[in-house]
Amino acid sequence: MTEHLLPLDWSVEIVATDISPTMLERTRTGTYSQLEVARGLPDAMLLKHFRRVGTQWQVDDHLRSMVTVAPLNLTQPFPARPAFDIVFLRNVLIYFDAPTKARIMRQVRQCLTPGGYMFLGAAETTLGIDDAWERVPLGRFTLNRAPGGPRPPAAPPRGTRRICDDPCQEQVMTPMRALVIDDSRVMRTLLTRHLKTAGFEVLQAEDGQKALDVLESVGVTCPTCAPSTGTCR
Amino acid sequence: MDGLTFVQTVRKRPQWRGITLMMVTTESEHSQLVRALAAGAHEYLMKPFPPEAFIEKLDILGLNPSGCVA
């Protein structure tokens, strides 16, 4: 999140809480097994933010310096803290009955900034428990937004992504495009088929040089690209 | 031009920063793969792979516009 989603001039503070002192200590050391880091963490993120310690992986010092670890019992009143922008409360409410869930969600709402977000687990919902949340669909997920605050920008329709922010114009939308590079025609055909199934428009190149030529000719733009492309900031 | 050089070349161009790079490799190219990831590739997939593995990688990268599942 720190590298993809936040404005560059934001600083990030993370408060990690648990009721268990053992778990708090583990969070403090930020050390995880191969199995734990292999569950959905992209490889590039692993290489970038973790270092190998024996058979384990440890979160690097920079990321750990953003984290404060604190004990918290969700069923008790929360201690006063500066308001949070986002609260991740994933796969923990399943352990509580409905009135307790409602009480916890209310407390989370009170510790968020107006319009702040709460992330729940895939099988968890605010529906019928604490209806003060606004449910905001995002892809296959639903975010829960606390009341108040400025309106968030509308999410792009499915199958498109925002490629360029121009402060003077409407957002430019385009289908997602993939370039398959492989010297084997069989492999190019196979990958192209998979990508088309996933909704991509697909281009092909048989080697790296030809691929660079394709990138040049299609005029790739990106959200924060260089001034030379004119319309992007 | 090998995969690693391609990744390095793409990553040198600021206007191509938004491009997501996925390597499709074989076991024997492992050391080159690690260098490619360090140079700015986002993900890799080891050949041979079932279609579900490919879709799963797209999901991890947040690049599955059709929302199809593995």
Side-chain angles (χ1 to χ4, degrees):
Chain A
M1 191 167 84
T2 56
E3 65 186 66
H4 291 301
L5 302 176
L6 297 179
L8 288 174
D9 55 346
W10 280 31
S11 66
V12 179
E13 290 173 54
I14 301 166
V15 179
T17 68
D18 203 282
I19 196 170
S20 147
T22 315
M23 195 45 80
L24 289 173
E25 189 46 42
R26 270 204 78 196
T27 308
R28 205 170 277 127
T29 63
T31 306
Y32 301 93
S33 69
Q34 179 66 47
L35 186 69
E36 288 167 312
V37 296
R39 291 187 308 195
L41 181 69
D43 305 303
M45 301 274 266
L46 179 65
L47 284 174
K48 194 161 175 191
H49 298 297
F50 287 74
R51 60 195 174 94
R52 199 92 210 223
V53 181
T55 57
Q56 309 272 94
W57 291 89
Q58 184 173 36
V59 180
D60 71 22
D61 295 344
H62 172 64
L63 210 52
R64 269 192 304 149
S65 70
M66 297 177 186
V67 180
T68 310
V69 174
L72 180 69
N73 182 340
L74 290 172
T75 65
Q76 301 295 315
F78 293 3
R81 283 189 174 276
F84 292 95
D85 297 299
I86 305 173
V87 169
F88 295 92
L89 187 68
R90 290 176 49 76
N91 305 318
V92 59
L93 291 176
I94 45 171
Y95 301 109
F96 300 106
D97 61 19
T100 314
K101 279 182 191 162
R103 209 166 56 235
I104 294 171
M105 286 183 186
R106 210 158 44 235
Q107 289 213 79
V108 171
R109 237 182 323 116
Q110 284 155 4
C111 74
L112 278 172
T113 53
Y117 289 94
M118 172 174 70
F119 285 73
L120 296 174
E124 297 168 319
T125 176
T126 54
L127 262 188
I129 299 172
D130 182 11
D131 291 324
W133 295 92
E134 179 191 353
R135 292 158 48 77
V136 184
L138 184 76
R140 289 185 294 145
F141 300 97
T142 300
L143 309 183
N144 299 285
R145 186 170 176 273
R151 299 300 311 160
R158 280 171 99 69
T160 61
R161 79 192 292 205
R162 201 179 58 182
I163 55 155
C164 178
D165 271 337
D166 183 341
C168 310
Q169 290 179 21
E170 289 292 295
Q171 286 171 359
V172 180
M173 311 295 286
T174 182
M176 288 170 74
R177 198 153 48 179
L179 172 57
V180 171
I181 312 158
D182 204 296
D183 53 5
S184 145
R185 195 171 55 84
V186 175
M187 188 47 76
R188 287 200 303 273
T189 307
L190 178 70
L191 288 168
T192 299
R193 185 151 21 114
H194 290 330
L195 284 161
K196 283 189 170 162
T197 309
F200 282 83
E201 192 183 305
V202 185
L203 305 170
Q204 295 188 4
E206 59 196 61
D207 62 48
Q209 187 52 55
K210 292 207 170 95
L212 292 174
D213 295 344
V214 172
L215 291 180
E216 293 281 6
S217 68
V218 297
V220 181
T221 54
C222 81
T224 51
C225 53
S228 61
T229 53
T231 54
C232 292
R233 74 184 146 79
Chain B
M1 182 183 297
D2 60 15
L4 173 61
T5 314
F6 180 77
V7 170
Q8 289 166 337
T9 311
V10 169
R11 283 293 168 253
K12 271 190 213 133
R13 296 277 291 267
Q15 68 270 40
W16 290 348
R17 249 188 322 197
I19 298 177
T20 302
L21 295 169
M22 180 156 85
M23 312 283 290
V24 179
T25 63
T26 58
E27 187 80 54
S28 62
E29 296 166 319
H30 187 262
S31 68
Q32 206 205 37
L33 169 66
V34 171
R35 277 153 63 205
L37 287 169
H42 294 83
E43 265 295 341
Y44 75 94
L45 193 57
M46 207 67 92
K47 282 187 265 191
F49 56 87
E52 310 85 68
F54 186 75
I55 299 296
E56 206 173 284
K57 291 285 179 185
L58 293 182
D59 266 335
I60 289 176
L61 290 165
L63 293 179
N64 187 356
S66 72
C68 58
V69 288

